[in-house]
Amino acid sequence: MIDAIMSGFGGLTVGFQMLAGEWRNTIMLFVGFGLLYLGIKKDAEPLLLVPIGFGCILANIPLSDVMSQEGFIRSLYNAGIATELFPLLIFVGIGAMTDFGPVLAQPSTFLLGAAGQFGIFLTLILALALGFPQLDAVSIGIIGACDGPTAIYVTSKYAPHLLGAVSVAAYSYMSLVPIIQPPIMRFLTTKKEREIVMKSVAKPVSRTTKMLFPLVITILGGIIAPKGLPLLGTIMLGNLMRESGVVSRLTKASENEIANIVTLFLGLTIGATMVGSAFIRSETLIILALGFLAICLDTVCGVLFGKLMSVMTGGKVNPLIGAAGISAFPMAARVVQREGARWNKKSYLLMHAMGANAGGQIGSVIAAAVMLSVLAGMGIIR
Amino acid sequence: MDNVTFGITMLICGMGGTIVVLWLMSLVMGLLGKLFPEKPAKKEA
């Protein structure tokens, strides 16, 4: 009987024994706590980092079977990540939440949204130079889209083994935009440029134009880059529902209930892919560094394009708005407004920056769509 | 395909394609904005 009792106790201590043996899982438990700390205490993308952090902890507890074939998170993974369904459902919500009015009031700001995507392609080249396989490099480059769902969509499709690192990089750096961007903006612009006051864009946009926008973007973008149609189509469906105003129940469900439930499942499953043996590798650190660089390069190219627009318009454009041409919406626009007001109290760049930022939102999706279609054209993906 | 060719193709076609698509979109949306301008609200009698 003593033996049976000892064996029973042994069953309760085997987890501790394995924790001591699997040092990488122990480190990942701390990484999970770190993500929870960032989300809860620092308010950095808490909607994602809290479930990701908790998923990471769940998957790294020794003998955890949450990601085994019958595990509950594996079921969520198979249902929503392997099928790319979760990021697409999130996109419906993003479309329903986003007002593209500022970019429609000033369509030229679409081009700032394009300039803010340079980081994707430059980082892709850097990843290739560092020896990453081609599709891995594509997934690393897409961190530069500054767009979590896009990064998850592309990575889950073509480099699922990098999903944890790419997602954590995308969401962490997105939340760090207010810290990453201002020094680059100051470094690349003169005091005189930062002080430029831009005329207000009070041009109203008709409801017809707002409703035609998602249809035009879907058809035009879909014809040119059909591989990205799921991304474009879902964000534009959400936006059409919003602008039509006739399906308010669906719009509210998309931006609230559906987006919230999917965000929870998405975060949990991504966190659970961060198992020690797969995550703690030098490769992960390189991916995190490249992701950081991607967002810096987006900002650099955006501000440089803003400077070009400033020169071409005879100094009517404040180049700082170029930094908002990324997808972190509306955070990047707020950063630009704050930075502009810091150098000139009369400067009110928010609406211009919102235009560039909305352009960046579309730009990141278009960049991913174009990238996938170019890959298909080259025969690298089907 | 070697990495150099792949990288340069992605940069030219990918970034170039992104710029062209967004430029086309800006043109189309600018045109639609002119075709369907916001009408001023009618004053109540």
Side-chain angles (χ1 to χ4, degrees), chain A residues 104 107 110-111 113-114 117-118 121-122 124-125 128 132 134 138 204-209 212-213 216-217 220-221 224 362-363 366-367 370-371 374-375 378 380, chain B residues 1-39:
Chain A
L104 295 177
F110 265 112
L111 292 175
Q117 313 309 319
F118 259 105
F121 299 95
L122 296 175
L124 185 157
I125 290 175
L128 286 172
F132 282 94
Q134 292 173 351
V138 166
V205 179
S206 69
R207 185 166 171 253
T208 311
T209 307
L212 285 172
F213 169 72
V216 168
I217 299 289
L220 189 61
I224 298 173
I362 294 292
I366 294 288
V370 166
M371 197 183 222
V374 171
L375 286 171
M378 288 194 287
I380 290 174
Chain B
M1 184 183 293
D2 67 282
N3 281 354
V4 175
T5 311
F6 177 75
I8 292 173
T9 308
M10 287 304 289
L11 183 66
I12 293 172
C13 298
M15 195 60 230
T18 303
I19 292 172
V20 169
V21 174
L22 286 167
W23 174 68
L24 280 175
M25 285 176 177
S26 75
L27 287 184
V28 174
M29 292 321 298
L31 190 68
L32 284 176
K34 283 181 182 153
L35 282 175
F36 304 102
E38 173 76 335
K39 288 173 188 161

Side-chain angles (χ1 to χ4, degrees), chain A residues 77 81-82 136 139 152 154-165 273:
Chain A
Y77 182 94
I81 302 283
D136 286 13
S139 299
I152 292 167
V154 173
T155 309
S156 63
K157 219 169 158 102
Y158 301 112
H161 56 287
L162 301 182
L163 192 59
T273 63

Side-chain angles (χ1 to χ4, degrees), chain A residues 157-189:
Chain A
K157 219 169 158 102
Y158 301 112
H161 56 287
L162 301 182
L163 192 59
V166 168
S167 311
V168 167
Y171 281 109
S172 309
Y173 297 145
M174 258 168 67
S175 68
L176 292 177
V177 159
I179 297 167
I180 295 172
Q181 285 201 316
I184 300 171
M185 291 155 77
R186 279 172 231 149
F187 180 72
L188 292 173
T189 51

Side-chain angles (χ1 to χ4, degrees), chain A residues 76-92:
Chain A
L76 290 175
Y77 182 94
N78 291 340
I81 302 283
T83 58
E84 300 124 32
L85 192 62
F86 286 168
L88 296 178
L89 286 173
I90 297 265
F91 260 135
V92 179

